[in-house]
Amino acid sequence: MKWHATTILSVRKGGKVAIGGDGQVTLGTQVMKADAVKIRKLLDGQVIVGFAGSAADGFALLERFEGKLKDHPNNIPRAAIELAKLWRTDRALRRLEAVLLVVDARHSLMLTGSGDVIQPTDGLLATGSGGGYALAAARALVAHSNLSAAEIVRESLTIAGGIDIYTNTHLTVEELPCPSTS
């Protein structure tokens, strides 16, 4: 059986960056947990990370990323690149199946096991089983509403939860102030 888990979305708008995720963890055709929290604050709340994929793998990567943040505390892209290099080259880490979204006041990044460190041009990132639905909803809401970053994350995840069977509407949303982006 394969674990399916979650949708994570990040939005940068109006001097804030918000990241959120749902709480569903599914094994095969069964919902095993509906209220998992897949969003974590790191570096005394200066960095927020969300993960999609295997929960155990996500937590293992969070720990490794936190270590890289301590090595490069004011350079989130550098910490992300160092984790991506380790993730791709370490024999045990290579098998981990998760994707991390990382935000701070200046950066929004997606980290994958294939060595990708992606920074979006529009300030929007999504991953997980309902990521495409959440991203489409967020793009529409950013363009056609006056909602805040956190409100867009909540609404978009709610929309994804109504479409994707591996996403629910038990949401966790965190927000940070950032330089104005739009």
Side-chain angles (χ1 to χ4, degrees):
M1 283 203 206
K2 184 170 170 106
W3 287 96
H4 292 279
T6 223
T7 299
I8 305 293
L9 173 68
S10 174
V11 172
R12 235 172 236 285
K13 182 180 181 196
K16 302 266 180 157
V17 61
I19 186 169
D22 77 303
Q24 185 164 303
V25 176
T26 309
L27 178 59
T29 59
Q30 296 180 330
V31 175
M32 301 302 291
K33 186 170 177 74
D35 61 351
V37 178
K38 303 164 198 161
I39 304 293
R40 297 285 188 271
K41 289 184 175 183
L42 304 176
L43 265 185
D44 299 321
Q46 297 175 44
V47 176
I48 307 173
V49 179
F51 66 87
S54 166
D57 292 356
F59 285 119
L61 289 166
L62 276 173
E63 287 178 15
R64 297 290 178 118
F65 184 65
E66 191 167 26
K68 297 299 180 188
L69 280 175
K70 288 177 183 173
D71 293 343
H72 310 283
N74 295 317
N75 194 341
I76 302 305
R78 176 70 188 264
I81 289 167
E82 292 302 318
L83 176 65
K85 287 193 309 192
L86 180 64
W87 192 354
R88 188 167 165 94
T89 59
D90 184 270
R91 185 177 208 128
L93 288 181
R94 260 196 317 250
R95 292 181 172 82
L96 298 183
E97 295 182 13
V99 173
L100 300 180
L101 295 189
V102 178
V103 300
D104 72 354
R106 296 182 331 238
H107 304 95
S108 295
L109 303 171
M110 177 186 289
L111 288 72
T112 73
S114 57
D116 298 318
V117 177
I118 300 166
Q119 185 164 1
T121 55
D122 62 0
L124 306 175
L125 278 174
T127 192
S129 58
Y133 306 120
L135 184 60
R139 284 190 175 146
L141 290 170
V142 165
H144 302 289
S145 79
N146 293 320
L147 296 175
S148 71
E151 292 168 328
I152 290 171
V153 167
R154 281 193 185 284
E155 289 299 317
S156 299
L157 288 172
T158 299
I159 290 167
I163 299 169
D164 179 53
I165 62 170
Y166 300 112
T167 302
N168 70 11
T169 56
H170 186 281
L171 307 177
T172 302
V173 178
E174 297 286 350
E175 190 174 55
L176 291 173
C178 64
S180 186
T181 56
S182 61

